Amino acid sequence: MDVLKKTPVREQDAKVRATNFEEVCLGYNGEEAKEEASRCINCKNAQCMKGCPVSINIPGFIEKVKNDDIEGAYQIISESSALPAVCGRVCPQESQCEGKCIRGIKGEPISIGKLERFVADWASENGIKPQGAAEKNGKKVAVIGSGPAGLTCAGDLAKMGYDVTIFEALHEAGGVLVYGIPEFRLPKTRVVAKEIENVKSLGVKIETNVVVGKSVTIDELLNEEGFDAVFIGSGAGLPKFMGIPGEQANGVFSANEYLTRSNLMKAFNEDSNTPIMRGKKVAVVGGGNVAMDAARTALRLGSEVHIVYRRSEEELPARVEEVHHAKEEGIIFNLLTNPVEILEDEKGWVKGIRCIKMELGEPDESGRRRPVEVPGSEFVIDVDTVIMSLGTSPNPLISSTTKGLEINKRKCIVAAEENGQTSKEGVYAGGDAVTGAATVILAMGAGKAGAKGIDEYLRNK
Amino acid sequence: MYKILEAKELTPNIYYMVVEAKRVARSCQPGQFVIVRTDERAERIPLTICDYDREKGTVTIVFQVVGAGTEFMSHLKTGDAFHDFVGPLGQPSELVHEDKEELKKKKILFVAGGVGTAPVYPQVKWLHENGIDADVIVGAKTKSILILEKEMEAVAGRLFVTTDDGSYGRSGMVTQTITDLVNEGNHYDVCIAIGPMIMMKFVCKLTKELNIPTVVSLNPIMVDGTGMCGACRVTVGGEVKFACVDGPEFDGLQVNFDEAMQRQQIYKTAEGRAYLAAKEGATHHGGCGNCGGND
Ligand SMILES: Cc1cc2nc3c(=O)[nH]c(=O)nc-3n(C[C@H](O)[C@H](O)[C@H](O)COP(=O)(O)OP(=O)(O)OC[C@H]3O[C@@H](n4cnc5c(N)ncnc54)[C@H](O)[C@@H]3O)c2cc1C
Ligand SMILES: Cc1cc2nc3c(=O)[nH]c(=O)nc-3n(C[C@H](O)[C@H](O)[C@H](O)COP(=O)(O)OP(=O)(O)OC[C@H]3O[C@@H](n4cnc5c(N)ncnc54)[C@H](O)[C@@H]3O)c2cc1C
Ligand code: SF4
Ligand code: SF4
Ligand code: FES
Ligand SMILES: [Mg+2]
C-alpha cells in the first residue's frame, strides 16, 4: 500500500455503465475502508473538519473505522449529519473536507467522502438508526420543502422534542436529491428513501402535494394551523434560459425538466408513463453538476452528447469526479464555446446549435477570467436536442405570498447565517432559498442552524 | 390519497369526478388548476378546477380521454382515490380581482369549446353568484359530446349552444355564433375563450378584428406546475412566460398560438405508443404502421 495514494474505489466499467442507470461508484468494502482509514494520522488540530460545513468529527469516526467499530463511527457522524450516505456521495470533497486534509499536501488526501459513505451504507444495511427523539415538548414547527435543508432542520428539531411537519410541493420528498441528481450517482430507493425514513423515524411527518403560497400560506400555518414557527427550505428551483433565438423550438429543455422526467418521473424506465426525448445528438449548455448530470443521463438514454461551456476546463464548476466520469463515459466537451442561436427545421424542431468560440480575457467579479467572443468564429453543431443548464434561482411563490418576508436583489430570502432568522417573526430560512444554488452540505448546515435558531426562539418565547 | 366521492361519465369520452382535497378546496379560485396522478407510476396531469365546495372540502374535475394518462384516469370509480392531487396552481381569473361594481357594468362573453366548457363553468357561476349575468357560447363537434348544458343554463345570462355538424342548437363553429351576436347588435367589453388551442386561436383572430379584448386559458405540456421545469413556456406579447405560474390565463390577442400548438406536439409519438399500450396492454410493440416505433 502506498500511503501517499488513496485506496482505489471500485467502479462500474465506463463502457458498461454508459448504458445503464446503476450506480457508477461501487464504494469500499470493509477491508478497503479499513486500509484507507489507516492512512489517516488522526491529527490533533484536524484541518479536514474546518472544511466540512457541518464539522463532522472526521478523525473520530475514521478512528472507529480503523478499530472495526462501524456502528460507533456511524453514531459519531450522526451527531453532525442527518444524510451521511448522501453527502459521502455528492459533496464536492475536493474543495471541502478533503481539500483541507494534511495528507493532501504531499500526496492524496484521505478519501473522507468514500469512508463516510461506507459507514452510512453499512449502518443502513444493518438496520442501525440515528438516536431517537427526546420527549415531545408540545410545540409545533412547519418545515417547507423536503430537500437537504428541510430534512436536516426537521430531523434536528424532532430530536429536540418538537412536533414537526414537512410540507412538500411535489409528490415525493427529497428535493433535488430525488428530482435532480440521477440514480447512477445517488440511488433513490437504496439511499435517499432510507435517509428520509430515518428522518421520519424521529417522528417527523411529511405532507406531500402542498405548495406553500398556493395550497396554504405561511401566515395561515402560523395563525390558523397552530404552528409556533416555520422553517423555509424551498430551494432554488427556477430554471434560467439564455434568451437566444430558437429557444422555444421543440427539443429545447431546461435541465430541470429533463432531469425531473428521468429521475422523479422515472422516464428512463420503460415502465413509466412519462415520456422523455431520446435525441440522437444532444447539446448540454453549461458546466456545473447539473450539466454533467443531464449530459450523462442523455448518454444513458442513447444519445451522443456535447457539453457546450463558455469557459475553459479549469473553470468547470462541477465536481472533479463527475467531470472525470463524464469524460470516461464518452461525453464530448466543447469548451470555450458559447451558443448564439438554436436552429429549427420547418416544423419547429431543433436541427442545430450555432456557437461562437471564446477566449479568456481579464478576471471578472468572480475572480475567474472573463470569456470573450472570438470574432468570426461561429460554427454549427448539428443536434436535435438542447438542454439548458445555466443555473437556477429561488422561486418567488413563497416570498410573494408572505407579508413582511424580506428578499434581496437575487430573489433570495434574507436570513441570518448563524440561526436562519428572517425579517418575519417566527420564520426561519436556509439552504438554496437563501444562498441561491449551492451544495447539499451547505443546505444541511443551514438546516441545522435554522433548527438551533428556532429552538432558541421558542424557548425564549 | 384523495378519495373520489363521485365519478360519472358525461359522454362516452368525458368524465366528471368530485374529489376530496381539503387544502385545494379551501384556497382555490376560478381559473386555477390542479395536477393529479392516479398511481405511483403515473404522469402528472394538469386539470382545471371545474367547481369546488369549501365546506365539504371537495373539488370537481372534468376531463376528456385523449391519451394514456387520461385513459387510466377514466377507469377510476366512485370510492377509488387519486394517489396525488395538488393545487390550487396558477393565477385565479382576473375577474376575481376586479371591482364588482365595475364588473357589473361590463358585458362579458364566454366562449367554451368541448371539454373547455368545464373550466368556463366556475367563472360563469362565480359571476352569477355575484349578481352578474354573462352571455355564454358553448360549442361542440356534435350533440353527443355536449357537456354541462343544464348546469350552465342555470348560471348563464343567455346560453347559446352550437354544434359543428348542426345536430343540436345552432349550427357551425363558435366563431360563427360570435359573428352573429355582434351583427345582431350585441356589444362586448371582454371575451373569455377556453377550449382547444385551435379554437382559441380562431376566436382571437376574430375578436381582434372586432376589437374585443380576449382572455384565453392555455394548456401547454406541464410537469411540476410550480415554475420549476419550464416545460410550459409560451410566448405572449413577444415575452416567454411560464403558463403554470404566470397563467394559465393570458391576453389571447398577444399569444403566439402557432408556437404553442407546435410545442404541444413534442411527445406525440411517445405518447401515442403509451396510449396504445394502455388500451391494449403489453401487446403493442410497433409495426402498426402508425406510430413509427419498434422499441
Ligand atoms: C442536478 C443537480 C445536481 C447537483 N449535484 C450536486 C452535487 O453533486 N453535490 C452537491 O453538494 N450539490 C449538488 N447540487 C446542489 C444541491 O442539490 C442543492 O444545493 C441542495 O439540494 C439544496 O438543498 P435545499 O434543501 O436548499 O433545496 P432543494 O433540494 O431544492 O429542496 C427544496 C424543496 O422544496 C420544495 N418546495 C419549493 N417550493 C415549495 C413550496 N412553495 N411549498 C412546498 N415545497 C416547496 C421543492 O419541491 C423541493 O423539494 C445539485 C443540484 C442539481 C439540481
Ligand atoms: C392548465 C391546464 C388545464 C387543463 N385542464 C383540463 C381539463 O380541465 N380537462 C381536460 O380534459 N384537459 C385539461 N388539460 C389538458 C390535459 O392536461 C391533457 O389532456 C392531459 O395531460 C393529456 O394526458 P394524456 O396522457 O391522457 O394524453 P397525451 O397523449 O399525453 O397527450 C395528449 C395531448 O395533451 C398534451 N399533454 C400531454 N401531457 C401533458 C401535460 N402534462 N400537460 C399538458 N398537456 C399535456 C399533449 O401535448 C397532447 O397534445 C389541461 C391542461 C393544462 C396545462
Ligand atoms: S459531510 Fe461532506 S464535507 Fe463533511 S466530511 Fe462528509 S463529505 Fe466531507
Ligand atoms: S486532516 Fe486528513 S489526516 Fe488529518 S485527521 Fe483529517 S482526514 Fe485524517
Ligand atoms: S410546468 Fe414546470 S414550470 Fe410550468
Ligand atoms: Mg400522457
Side-chain angles (χ1 to χ4, degrees):
Chain A
M1 171 186 141
D2 180 350
V3 291
L4 293 183
K5 287 235 158 88
K6 287 183 172 184
T7 305
V9 68
R10 286 164 294 116
E11 287 175 349
Q12 263 201 83
D13 179 72
K15 280 219 185 65
V16 177
R17 71 180 192 241
T19 62
N20 69 41
F21 278 83
E22 305 294 313
E23 195 171 12
V24 169
C25 174
L26 303 173
Y28 287 148
N29 60 28
E31 222 167 285
E32 292 158 340
K34 208 169 158 183
E35 180 182 316
E36 182 61 11
S38 74
R39 292 178 62 225
C40 169
I41 46 189
N42 203 351
C43 306
K44 278 242 157 56
N45 181 10
Q47 293 304 307
C48 53
M49 286 179 64
K50 295 187 185 140
C52 171
V54 295
S55 312
I56 290 180
N57 178 355
I58 296 168
F61 98 75
I62 294 184
E63 188 65 22
K64 297 275 183 198
V65 175
K66 275 188 211 163
N67 297 330
D68 286 321
D69 179 8
I70 314 300
E71 183 169 353
Y74 179 72
Q75 296 304 353
I76 291 180
I77 297 174
S78 294
E79 283 165 20
S80 320
S81 170
L83 309 167
V86 173
C87 293
R89 285 172 166 85
V90 307
C91 266
Q93 286 100 7
E94 68 270 14
S95 56
Q96 296 182 336
C97 52
E98 295 181 21
K100 292 253 160 59
C101 170
I102 288 295
R103 270 275 184 222
I105 297 174
K106 268 209 193 127
E108 289 180 349
I110 308 295
S111 268
I112 301 169
K114 300 279 185 295
L115 286 174
E116 182 176 340
R117 165 188 166 156
F118 165 76
V119 171
D121 286 357
W122 183 92
S124 145
E125 278 152 27
N126 289 279
I128 315 278
K129 300 251 161 202
Q131 242 122 63
E135 237 164 67
K136 293 264 174 211
N137 63 20
K139 289 188 178 146
K140 275 172 69 176
V141 181
V143 170
I144 304 168
S146 60
L151 287 172
T152 304
C153 184
D156 275 17
L157 287 167
K159 283 187 199 162
M160 297 174 199
Y162 291 93
D163 178 359
V164 187
T165 306
I166 299 181
F167 295 99
E168 168 55 50
L170 291 172
H171 57 257
E172 206 176 314
V176 170
L177 308 181
V178 295
Y179 80 71
I181 305 180
E183 181 74 20
F184 55 82
R185 222 155 53 81
L186 188 61
K188 305 298 161 233
T189 316
R190 191 155 51 81
V191 178
V192 183
K194 282 252 174 73
E195 302 256 39
I196 291 169
E197 276 313 309
N198 282 347
V199 174
K200 278 197 193 161
S201 75
L202 296 168
V204 172
K205 286 164 276 194
I206 303 183
E207 197 181 327
T208 51
N209 297 321
V210 180
V211 184
V212 175
K214 289 284 178 189
S215 314
V216 64
T217 63
I218 287 184
D219 289 301
E220 284 165 351
L221 288 173
L222 288 169
N223 304 331
E224 291 167 29
E225 298 202 19
F227 288 97
D228 299 293
V230 174
F231 177 82
I232 308 171
S234 52
L238 284 198
K240 293 193 179 105
F241 286 90
M242 291 187 84
I244 56 175
E247 227 171 1
Q248 290 288 87
N250 286 7
V252 182
F253 307 95
S254 74
N256 269 4
E257 176 182 355
Y258 193 75
L259 289 169
T260 300
R261 285 179 180 277
S262 184
N263 300 326
L264 180 71
M265 306 306 296
K266 309 273 180 269
F268 70 86
N269 201 329
E270 292 291 319
D271 233 24
S272 161
N273 292 321
T274 295
I276 193 163
M277 172 120 171
R278 295 166 187 253
K280 285 203 176 63
K281 278 176 87 173
V282 178
V284 177
V285 182
N289 284 320
V290 186
M292 297 304 139
D293 284 344
R296 296 170 70 201
T297 298
L299 181 93
R300 283 161 171 76
L301 291 173
S303 311
E304 173 187 312
V305 187
H306 294 252
I307 290 267
V308 176
Y309 180 58
R310 65 199 178 110
R311 300 181 195 250
S312 72
E313 166 134 22
E314 231 171 276
E315 287 88 15
L316 280 171
R319 291 178 74 217
V320 171
E321 185 178 354
E322 308 316 326
V323 176
H324 171 71
H325 280 154
K327 282 190 177 161
E328 278 185 345
E329 289 164 10
I331 306 278
I332 302 156
F333 282 74
N334 292 89
L335 301 172
L336 287 166
T337 303
N338 206 28
V340 289
E341 181 185 4
I342 294 163
L343 309 172
E344 325 176 19
D345 68 14
E346 60 293 344
K347 289 196 171 136
W349 288 82
V350 174
K351 67 168 186 190
I353 182 163
R354 205 148 55 80
C355 300
I356 188 160
K357 289 253 163 76
M358 311 292 280
E359 59 190 6
L360 293 180
E362 295 299 303
D364 61 12
E365 321 79 65
S366 73
R368 300 178 298 178
R369 291 173 66 197
R370 186 195 300 276
V372 288
E373 295 183 351
V374 178
S377 66
E378 291 191 8
F379 69 105
V380 172
I381 313 176
D382 55 329
V383 295
D384 57 10
T385 308
V386 176
I387 300 172
M388 290 295 180
S389 175
L390 308 157
T392 52
S393 60
N395 195 323
L397 257 182
I398 290 179
S399 51
S400 65
T401 53
T402 311
K403 269 180 246 123
L405 185 67
E406 198 188 321
I407 55 171
N408 65 21
K409 268 191 294 210
R410 297 185 301 134
K411 303 251 161 66
C412 298
I413 297 172
V414 177
E417 203 180 320
E418 66 285 1
N419 62 7
Q421 194 176 349
T422 68
S423 57
K424 188 175 170 78
E425 197 196 327
V427 179
Y428 292 72
D432 283 4
V434 169
T435 56
T439 61
V440 170
I441 191 69
L442 284 172
M444 283 183 48
K448 273 190 127 32
K452 220 170 107 241
I454 287 175
D455 180 48
E456 270 159 25
Y457 165 70
L458 290 180
R459 273 192 288 119
N460 295 327
K461 203 174 139 180
Chain B
M1 299 296 258
Y2 303 81
K3 209 163 164 204
I4 299 168
L5 302 182
E6 185 185 352
K8 67 184 181 199
E9 207 179 75
L10 294 182
T11 76
N13 207 25
I14 299 180
Y15 295 80
Y16 168 104
M17 290 178 186
V18 179
V19 184
E20 194 174 70
K22 295 202 173 69
R23 284 194 188 279
V24 184
R26 200 184 313 155
S27 50
C28 66
Q29 301 278 2
Q32 292 187 295
F33 66 99
V34 292
I35 288 185
V36 309
R37 288 206 321 154
T38 43
D39 60 57
E40 64 272 8
R41 288 187 317 151
E43 269 188 282
R44 292 171 65 90
I45 306 239
L47 297 169
T48 312
I49 294 168
C50 172
D51 203 356
Y52 50 88
D53 186 324
R54 299 214 199 282
E55 249 121 69
K56 293 202 185 103
T58 60
V59 171
T60 305
I61 52 173
V62 173
F63 64 90
Q64 182 172 12
V65 173
V66 296
T70 41
E71 164 72 23
F72 280 126
M73 272 169 57
S74 71
H75 296 295
L76 295 173
K77 299 273 171 288
T78 302
D80 290 344
F82 280 98
H83 195 276
D84 301 286
F85 197 96
V86 59
L89 301 168
Q91 302 295 332
S93 308
E94 252 173 62
L95 290 181
V96 181
H97 295 301
E98 263 178 75
D99 182 69
K100 289 198 185 118
E101 292 313 309
E102 284 301 306
L103 212 51
K104 277 186 185 148
K105 292 185 202 140
K106 283 194 181 161
K107 275 300 281 175
I108 305 173
L109 174 66
F110 283 93
V111 181
V115 74
T117 310
V120 161
Y121 173 71
Q123 304 200 20
V124 181
K125 182 178 162 193
W126 185 90
L127 287 172
H128 177 73
E129 282 167 356
N130 284 284
I132 302 161
D133 284 337
D135 281 356
V136 180
I137 302 173
V138 171
K141 275 212 183 76
T142 185
K143 182 181 178 194
S144 64
I145 59 171
L146 190 67
I147 56 167
L148 301 174
E149 188 190 2
K150 271 204 212 82
E151 288 85 347
M152 195 68 94
E153 189 137 50
V155 293
R158 293 187 295 173
L159 176 65
F160 306 92
V161 176
T162 178
T163 49
D164 294 2
D165 62 1
S167 52
Y168 185 72
R170 294 168 171 240
S171 161
M173 310 272 188
V174 289
T175 39
Q176 186 57 54
T177 306
I178 300 174
T179 311
D180 292 348
L181 287 173
V182 170
N183 286 344
E184 285 160 23
N186 292 288
H187 165 83
Y188 295 105
D189 298 297
V190 60
C191 167
I192 293 149
I194 307 181
M197 208 77 98
I198 187 83
M199 175 205 96
M200 295 190 282
K201 174 182 166 172
F202 282 105
V203 168
C204 288
K205 203 166 159 237
L206 175 63
T207 53
K208 194 173 217 162
E209 284 162 22
L210 297 171
N211 247 326
I212 309 174
T214 302
V215 175
V216 296
S217 179
L218 297 184
N219 53 354
I221 293 178
M222 292 190 176
V223 183
D224 59 299
T226 66
M228 186 266 273
C229 75
C232 62
R233 52 196 203 279
V234 290
T235 304
V236 183
E239 258 184 77
V240 176
K241 301 275 183 192
F242 286 10
C244 70
V245 284
D246 301 323
E249 296 190 359
F250 289 104
D251 176 351
L253 305 188
Q254 302 285 326
V255 170
N256 183 338
F257 283 105
D258 291 336
E259 178 192 283
M261 287 192 284
Q262 171 194 306
R263 286 185 54 77
Q264 276 192 328
Q265 305 299 312
I266 294 179
Y267 296 108
K268 205 147 193 203
T269 319
E271 289 284 2
R273 254 179 251 152
Y275 184 41
L276 288 173
K279 289 214 88 146
E280 302 171 7
T283 56
H284 186 75
H285 294 292
C288 65
N290 287 325
C291 68
N294 237 339
D295 40 13

